[in-house]
Amino acid sequence: MEHGYVKAAAFSPKIKVAEPKYNAAVIIRQIKEAALRGASIMVFPELCITGYSCGDLFLQETLLDEAKCQLFKIAAQTAETDAIIFVGLPLEYMGKLYNTAAAIYKGTILGLIPKTFLPNHAEFYEARHFTKGMKKCVPVTLKEGVTVPMGTDQIFVCQSMPKLRIAVELCEDVWAPNPPSIRHALAGATVIVNLSASDEVTGKDTYRRDLINGQSARLVCGYIYACASDGESTQDVVYSGHSIIAENGAVLAEAKRFQNNTISSEIDVAKLSAERRRLSTFEHDGAADYVWNEFSLTPKRTKLTRHVDRAPFVPGKKEERDKRCEEILQIQAMGLKKRFEHTGCKRAVIGISGGLDSTLALLVTVRAFDLLNIPHSQILAVTMPGFGTTDRTYDNAVQLIRSLNAGLKEINIQKSVTMHFSDIGQDPAVHDVTYENSQARERTQILMDLANQCGALVIGTGDMSELALGWATYNGDHMSMYGVNASVPKTLVRHLVRYYADACDDKDLEKILLDVLDTPVSPELLPPQEGQISQKTEDIVGPYELHDFFLYYILRFGYPPAKIFRLAKLAFAGAYTDDVILKWLKTFYRRFFSQQFKRSCLPDGPKVGTVAVSPRGDLRMPSDASGRIWLDEVEKLSAPNNL
């Protein structure tokens, strides 16, 4: 439960139709097994105490009485279980029969939730036996001294974890045009559980998965779907046990069909609450009409089994990654295209260093010019060798420009920078920040003045990771007339260039791009050592894959440092020691807060993903905001913390 995680389990027990005593024993055994694995929310299929496929046997009082008896047995036998449990059973009330879910917590039946939408078609005839459930709760006496609320509009809220608020719907409810879960989420529920008995026909599993996953995304919730399986009658249909646990559009766990699987994963209710805070269109409504049932789980550190991607900005599968890369390149190019159309410019000026960022910016500019039907020769690509330029990066820059048929201009900045040192009294032998930044500002001055000469726009090359860290020279590479890479993180820049290399037909261009990819990231502002790059960015500020990981979870979900550290240790286990992760996490927070003033005056640039640092939209952060409370939390962290 620490950091907002709660472990959920969905079951597909092998039952016997119309044998509640046997089924209850199976349910109790599975509850106890799941409790040993740390599950705090347990969901069983629809009508699982009797079996869903009882047909007209549901009209038999003997079956109904036995189902109720076994419900109390399940409650009694799990009184020591630290979990909230949902099981399905038929229940008679005021002469009508209801398909219900019972919520059980430590021996107590908290409430009963009836099904709203009853199918009445070729495979299922629920309307033959059951009555549509009521919204407003009514008191139902299950036995002498035990009266519980029954109605759809109930939310079960955890006192020890207030963001965990659970509501219920049953099978067909989620397939309806207006599912009850919409109302539940707007009333405040962060987790929806669904007790289901969905039959299996060809292709239905794909639709079911998309439906459940889509509902979790639409409602910004966790969704636990438990489906009936083997043991139900196969007289006319077959049940596969296709249970699913989803969270805000991501499937966390999915059962293999026809195997009576139990699935489990951890739902991040803190993440869901953070996402709802960000969405102005998610308006809570109707909570006052609900019955709020309280329970309290024992606080504990939930062991994480869910996958934590070490590259959250980059899709893992090649097909998805290629699609994403193509889309991003098109967004970047279309943004730049519009800026040229609006200004009437037909020329671009761009500085090319032979590094990743400027390479990507040139590729984007070429694509934009193709969209505008402007020849590449109208792109003035400038290489500006300085004190730290190596032969490798210089050669790659020149060859890249020529291979793309852009205009090439070379201006060596060493003489002008040396003169500038003389003007300001800087000792050229002192390789300090002035030594470095003077070169960056000289290059930017050249680009701006060349743009004035030829009526062009200066294209910015800096990426989002550099902006997050403040790893940019103010009024140097920090400035441009349109920054095409401003919302592209460094880890994604690499994949965009790789995608371009793999997709291009020009083998010479491909070779150049691959060598650029193989070159260490460096601003090349310090003299080389034996002809090799001496200044490697990641040795100074830390690995970009770590910083991009930190950036994603800080800005996308507002996670606190302790939670980010925990996830990073899990994602990068075996790649970095805990001490190294913690070191660079401290660096990130320190630089992120101290360097906001550079981000507060960024040039325009296209947003390509859900995380961006533009001061006009995604990060309206005061330049003088204190990072003390975050840094204090980081200082309290220690590497040996458990996952």
Side-chain angles (χ1 to χ4, degrees):
M1 292 170 64
E2 187 177 5
H3 299 137
Y5 292 107
V6 59
K7 193 173 189 68
F11 304 83
S12 295
K14 185 170 183 176
I15 60 146
K16 292 184 179 180
V17 177
E19 280 204 36
K21 185 175 181 179
Y22 173 87
N23 298 339
V26 173
I27 290 167
I28 291 166
R29 185 182 71 250
Q30 292 196 344
I31 288 171
K32 293 183 176 181
E33 290 172 352
L36 293 175
R37 296 192 296 270
S40 296
I41 306 173
M42 303 185 191
V43 186
F44 286 84
E46 183 178 15
L47 296 169
C48 59
I49 291 179
T50 58
Y52 176 79
S53 50
C54 290
D56 282 357
L57 294 179
F58 283 127
L59 302 176
Q60 296 290 317
E61 190 168 345
T62 300
L63 182 67
L64 301 180
D65 289 345
E66 184 63 18
K68 191 189 299 184
C69 177
Q70 293 305 316
L71 171 64
F72 280 104
K73 183 178 180 180
I74 294 169
Q77 292 287 316
T78 60
E80 301 301 317
T81 301
D82 187 33
I84 185 167
I85 303 158
F86 297 89
V87 295
L89 77 159
L91 187 79
E92 182 182 359
Y93 170 70
M94 300 293 286
K96 294 295 182 180
L97 193 60
Y98 294 87
N99 179 347
T100 70
I104 303 170
Y105 172 69
K106 289 193 173 181
T108 301
I109 300 168
L110 298 179
L112 296 161
I113 302 89
K115 190 171 184 176
T116 299
F117 296 102
L118 304 173
N120 194 32
H121 46 69
E123 296 91 352
F124 306 109
Y125 301 96
E126 281 191 48
R128 177 183 176 95
H129 312 112
F130 297 103
T131 298
K132 180 177 181 178
M134 66 290 291
K135 287 184 181 181
K136 187 175 181 180
C137 286
V138 297
V140 175
T141 300
L142 296 177
K143 66 178 181 179
E144 186 176 353
V146 180
T147 299
V148 300
M150 182 170 78
T152 60
D153 290 1
Q154 299 185 64
I155 291 177
F156 302 88
V157 59
C158 182
Q159 291 177 302
S160 56
M161 193 180 191
K163 292 177 182 177
L164 175 57
R165 301 181 293 271
I166 306 170
V168 184
E169 60 185 2
L170 289 90
C171 196
E172 191 79 11
D173 289 348
V174 73
W175 301 71
N178 185 26
S181 51
I182 296 176
R183 188 169 71 251
H184 300 334
L186 293 177
T190 53
V191 173
I192 304 295
V193 303
N194 187 317
L195 292 72
S196 177
S198 178
D199 67 319
E200 205 60 51
V201 293
T202 302
K204 190 174 182 180
D205 62 318
T206 300
Y207 184 87
R208 186 188 297 114
R209 182 190 307 110
D210 291 345
L211 176 67
I212 300 306
N213 199 28
Q215 191 71 347
S216 77
R218 182 185 187 186
L219 303 183
V220 192
C221 71
Y223 203 107
I224 308 165
Y225 181 87
C227 191
S229 185
D230 191 13
E232 292 286 355
S233 173
T234 58
Q235 181 174 347
D236 291 306
V237 294
V238 172
Y239 303 85
S240 71
H242 187 203
S243 298
I244 300 165
I245 300 176
E247 176 191 280
N248 194 24
V251 173
L252 301 181
E254 182 176 6
K256 292 183 178 180
R257 293 182 297 160
F258 309 109
Q259 294 188 20
N260 294 99
N261 283 336
T262 295
I263 60 171
S264 63
S265 189
E266 303 79 42
I267 293 174
D268 187 349
V269 294
K271 172 183 173 181
L272 296 170
S273 295
E275 186 71 355
R276 288 183 179 184
R277 285 197 303 270
R278 295 177 68 251
L279 296 173
S280 60
T281 53
F282 197 102
E283 299 178 356
H284 287 293
D285 182 47
D289 299 327
Y290 274 68
V291 170
W292 290 72
N293 297 300
E294 294 184 342
F295 67 101
S296 186
L297 300 171
T298 302
K300 55 191 172 185
R301 188 178 180 88
T302 303
K303 183 178 180 181
L304 298 182
T305 60
R306 56 190 278 167
H307 174 68
V308 180
D309 194 341
R310 66 172 55 179
F313 288 109
V314 183
K317 296 180 180 179
K318 187 179 186 304
E319 181 179 353
E320 294 178 12
R321 189 166 59 247
D322 288 350
K323 180 181 178 181
R324 179 78 57 83
C325 287
E326 175 61 30
E327 183 179 34
I328 290 172
L329 286 168
Q330 192 68 6
I331 291 172
Q332 290 177 280
M334 289 299 291
L336 186 57
K337 170 179 174 287
K338 174 61 180 179
R339 182 52 51 93
F340 275 104
E341 288 175 334
H342 177 71
T343 59
C345 286
K346 297 185 180 299
R347 299 206 66 183
V349 170
I350 181 169
I352 304 299
S353 66
L356 273 172
D357 290 344
S358 63
T359 295
L360 176 60
L362 180 56
L363 296 174
V364 169
T365 305
V366 164
R367 180 178 283 221
F369 272 48
D370 287 343
L371 292 170
L372 291 163
N373 293 316
I374 300 175
H376 298 177
S377 58
Q378 293 292 89
I379 302 170
L380 180 58
V382 188
T383 179
M384 295 167 281
F387 302 124
T389 304
T390 60
D391 291 343
R392 180 181 187 179
T393 55
Y394 170 78
D395 290 341
N396 279 338
V398 172
Q399 292 178 38
L400 176 68
I401 295 166
R402 287 174 174 164
S403 68
L404 293 170
N405 298 315
L408 169 63
K409 189 175 186 68
E410 179 181 333
I411 300 176
N412 191 302
I413 66 168
Q414 293 186 28
K415 182 178 179 181
S416 58
V417 172
T418 300
M419 184 179 296
H420 179 62
F421 287 162
S422 176
D423 290 340
I424 66 173
Q426 171 73 14
D427 184 351
V430 177
H431 296 166
D432 58 7
V433 68
T434 304
Y435 178 90
E436 296 184 34
N437 286 347
S438 293
Q439 298 172 69
R441 292 194 178 99
E442 177 63 22
R443 286 174 171 139
T444 301
Q445 175 182 249
I446 290 170
L447 295 175
M448 291 290 182
D449 290 344
L450 286 173
N452 287 157
Q453 276 188 338
C454 60
L457 295 179
V458 175
I459 310 303
T461 62
D463 64 60
M464 183 168 64
S465 304
E466 294 175 341
L467 292 169
L469 292 165
W471 190 250
T473 300
Y474 195 90
N475 204 37
D477 52 305
H478 160 262
M479 189 48 57
S480 67
M481 296 173 183
Y482 197 78
V484 293
N485 296 338
S487 65
V488 183
K490 184 74 77 176
T491 48
L492 190 52
V493 170
R494 182 171 294 278
H495 285 281
L496 288 166
V497 174
R498 166 70 67 176
Y499 168 75
Y500 204 102
D502 292 343
C504 72
D505 297 326
D506 186 333
K507 294 301 179 183
D508 290 335
L509 176 57
E510 179 186 9
K511 182 179 178 181
I512 297 165
L513 295 177
L514 292 178
D515 196 60
V516 169
L517 284 163
D518 195 44
T519 304
V521 177
S522 172
E524 290 194 314
L525 298 174
L526 295 179
Q529 294 179 356
E530 298 179 356
Q532 302 299 312
I533 293 172
S534 63
Q535 186 185 24
K536 297 180 181 178
T537 298
E538 292 181 291
D539 291 344
I540 301 168
V541 296
Y544 274 116
E545 61 178 342
L546 282 178
H547 288 311
D548 283 357
F549 185 91
F550 303 152
L551 175 66
Y552 179 81
Y553 286 107
I554 288 170
L555 292 189
R556 183 67 180 84
F557 300 113
Y559 283 179
K563 187 170 184 176
I564 293 172
F565 182 43
R566 181 183 182 187
L567 293 177
K569 288 192 298 180
L570 190 64
F572 293 96
Y576 299 101
T577 65
D578 294 352
D579 288 328
V580 169
I581 294 171
L582 184 56
K583 170 188 173 182
W584 295 121
L585 182 61
K586 291 177 181 178
T587 297
F588 184 92
Y589 273 105
R590 177 178 55 80
R591 295 191 65 99
F592 181 77
F593 277 94
S594 68
Q595 300 294 299
Q596 172 62 20
F597 72 97
K598 293 182 181 178
R599 299 187 291 268
S600 291
C601 57
L602 283 179
D604 291 348
K607 177 180 177 179
V608 303
T610 56
V611 176
V613 294
S614 167
R616 293 168 294 276
D618 291 84
L619 187 60
R620 301 187 185 187
M621 173 178 164
S623 295
D624 304 313
S626 172
R628 177 49 48 202
I629 59 174
W630 290 270
L631 291 168
D632 284 349
E633 183 175 334
V634 174
E635 289 297 331
K636 293 176 183 177
L637 296 173
S638 60
N641 286 342
N642 294 324
L643 298 178

